[in-house]
Amino acid sequence: MRTKKQARASVLVLGLVAVGAVLVPASPASAAVPGLVRIAAVSVSDSADFHSATATCPVGKVLTGTGYELNGVTGEGIVDDLRPNGGPATAPTSVTVGAYEAEAFAGNWSVTAYAICANPLPGLVRISAVSVSDSADFHSTTAACPIGKVLTGTGYELNGVTGEGVVDDFRPNGGVAAAPTAVSLGAYEADATALNWSVTAYAICANPLAGLMRATTVGANNSLDFRSVVAGCPVGKVMTGAGYELNGVTGEGVVDDFRPNGGPATAPTTVDSGAYEEDAFAGNWSDTAYAICATA
């Protein structure tokens, strides 16, 4: 049996342990994508049929996502290439954007490439998937991350067409409670062509990241020539990549802006998707923007 003195000593020790536990500070949450920034590169501005620009991450950083913007055209230009470099065993560090005139355009125009960059991420690679090549009006494919990896960003390439094909769906999977792991790509002929052509989808993949999820915003559904929509990450998260989807059109709409916010010293948190009718279209249609987000 313990004496009263021993009991008081036990209470004192327990009290000290409790006080000590209260005073220990909580460990701060680690950023899933440290050093996240947005880099931009702009092509020459002239009336040439084709324009391209390559945005390259600063030395020591890697590419997690992509974006683009067409300047000076309003439906007359189509992005043909949104191509991250890298490969299945190599981390991407840059993205090349190439765009053609869908219709003859006499004015000057240019293209801006956007690279979303971060400090090196474990397991970062670029995966590609190519559709069948034929003369069908529609082509699609899905690039999926290897098992155990997640999707941080996206890219695409149209092969065999030079202004005659337009991307309609550029959709990462996932949701508000599910990390994306793949990107689906679908493209239509903007103008009828007898050429064989195909599409390539690119998935930028990494080892699992804290808080990774996909945010979605659907724009207004109407018959206006232009519409834009912004998808944003929840508070406390930053954007590593993005995607979009046109609804109700099958080759008559073109996404002119696929622009992440941020800058060379600022992490992006939103993406702005703006789309024009490439050909006059009387029906209602809409634009959906997707943001891939991780813990800040």
Side-chain angles (χ1 to χ4, degrees), residues 71-139:
N71 316 295
V73 285
T74 53
E76 300 89 356
I78 291 176
V79 170
D80 186 84
D81 303 314
L82 178 63
R83 186 177 62 254
N85 69 349
T90 309
T93 56
S94 68
V95 58
T96 297
V97 178
Y100 288 92
E101 291 180 358
E103 301 169 355
F105 182 72
N108 291 342
W109 63 287
S110 65
V111 61
T112 301
Y114 293 109
I116 302 175
C117 307
N119 296 351
L121 296 178
L124 194 73
V125 295
R126 188 208 70 178
I127 303 300
S128 61
V130 186
S131 75
V132 64
S133 179
D134 58 27
S135 60
D137 176 63
F138 177 74
H139 290 77

Side-chain angles (χ1 to χ4, degrees), residues 203-279:
I204 302 173
C205 307
N207 293 352
L209 299 175
L212 196 70
M213 47 82 72
R214 189 200 70 180
T216 304
T217 303
V218 182
N221 186 51
N222 56 43
S223 61
L224 296 178
D225 175 65
F226 175 76
R227 69 276 327 286
S228 68
V229 62
V230 176
C233 295
V235 174
K237 293 184 184 286
V238 290
M239 191 177 78
T240 65
Y244 59 78
E245 184 176 6
L246 298 183
N247 316 292
V249 285
T250 54
E252 301 89 356
V254 55
V255 173
D256 181 87
D257 301 317
F258 177 50
R259 184 177 63 254
N261 73 341
T266 308
T269 56
T270 65
V271 61
D272 187 349
S273 179
Y276 287 93
E277 291 181 0
E278 191 270 326
D279 292 315

Side-chain angles (χ1 to χ4, degrees), residues 146-176:
I147 294 174
K149 292 185 184 289
V150 293
L151 185 79
T152 69
T154 57
Y156 67 79
E157 189 170 4
L158 304 186
N159 317 295
V161 286
T162 53
E164 299 89 358
V166 58
V167 170
D168 184 84
D169 299 317
F170 184 40
R171 185 177 65 255
N173 68 351
V176 294

